[in-house]
Amino acid sequence: VRCVQETGVHGGLSLFKNLHMEVEKLSAFVEVPQDCDFTIHNIPFGVFQAPGTSQPKCCTAIGEYVVDLSVLEMHGLFDGALFQGLRSNGVTVFNKPTLNEFMSLEKKYWQETRQTLQKLLRSDSPLKDNQNVIDQAFHKMLAVNLLLPVNIRAVSYTHLRAHETPEHLVCRLLLEKKK
């Protein structure tokens, strides 16, 4: 999305004649049904398990497919500066059973990931001709199991009263512990 501004000059002042949004017409090399939520403009993240495997993998979705992000990472397709820095330090983000490590990164990593995925999934991407990577990374969504994408630590909320804020709870628990 980019803002386009047309201006005019009146008495030395710039005036906005017309300000409108132009949505870049991106299309994916994968067929995306008209009513599908998973387009090249909406890059979701999740975790899936392919049939016959025991290892959950991080993924995104496009059309009726999930895309194994660990395969793209393994082939060095996350080629932005931030991911190159991680890779040079031996860090992998998507070869994990949850999105926790990815979520712990700064927002700039998320942005680079989305930009890279849009670049890779575009209709003019060289990825569309790499059948080896496509066969490894793309799975029909109906053929996989979608899993809980994050590991949530066990937390007990039994001490939280309806009228207490979390800050009050901490104070009360600390005071009770002293007794």
Side-chain angles (χ1 to χ4, degrees):
V1 176
R2 62 186 173 105
C3 282
V4 177
Q5 172 184 321
E6 298 171 7
T7 61
V9 178
H10 178 71
L13 299 174
S14 281
L15 301 175
F16 293 106
K17 281 188 178 176
N18 190 11
L19 180 64
H20 61 280
M21 303 287 276
E22 287 184 359
V23 176
E24 190 176 351
K25 298 286 185 196
L26 292 178
S27 61
F29 72 84
V30 175
E31 185 177 335
V32 178
Q34 188 74 6
D35 62 343
C36 184
D37 291 328
F38 306 123
T39 68
I40 199 165
H41 296 286
N42 179 28
I43 306 285
F45 294 98
V47 172
F48 80 104
Q49 187 173 5
T53 65
S54 60
Q55 179 67 31
K57 302 277 186 100
C58 296
C59 66
T60 189
I62 182 81
E64 297 173 346
Y65 293 90
V66 296
V67 182
D68 186 337
L69 297 176
S70 70
V71 171
L72 302 181
E73 184 177 46
M74 178 182 68
H75 285 279
L77 297 176
F78 287 102
D79 57 359
L82 297 173
F83 272 86
Q84 284 182 1
L86 291 175
R87 191 170 48 249
S88 69
N89 290 318
V91 176
T92 60
V93 176
F94 297 118
N95 193 18
K96 311 284 187 222
T98 67
L99 288 169
N100 288 40
E101 187 160 337
F102 176 63
M103 291 172 47
S104 71
L105 297 172
E106 296 175 48
K107 184 177 180 179
K108 61 186 178 182
Y109 287 89
W110 305 347
Q111 291 168 331
E112 183 177 281
T113 301
R114 286 183 187 281
Q115 290 167 354
T116 300
L117 287 170
Q118 283 183 328
K119 179 182 77 171
L120 291 171
L121 296 171
R122 288 172 64 126
S123 59
D124 61 351
S125 168
L127 177 60
K128 74 178 179 185
D129 298 322
N130 190 335
Q131 198 60 47
N132 180 42
V133 173
I134 290 173
D135 290 345
Q136 292 176 51
F138 287 71
H139 303 272
K140 281 287 206 176
M141 195 176 302
L142 294 176
V144 302
N145 292 320
L146 297 176
L147 305 172
L148 186 64
V150 294
N151 183 14
I152 302 169
R153 292 181 286 132
V155 178
S156 173
Y157 293 100
T158 56
H159 291 95
L160 186 59
R161 298 177 186 160
H163 64 279
E164 278 186 318
T165 64
E167 293 82 13
H168 287 114
L169 170 64
V170 170
C171 290
R172 183 173 57 80
L173 291 174
L174 289 173
L175 289 172
E176 287 177 3
K177 190 173 183 176
K178 283 187 175 182
K179 291 182 184 179

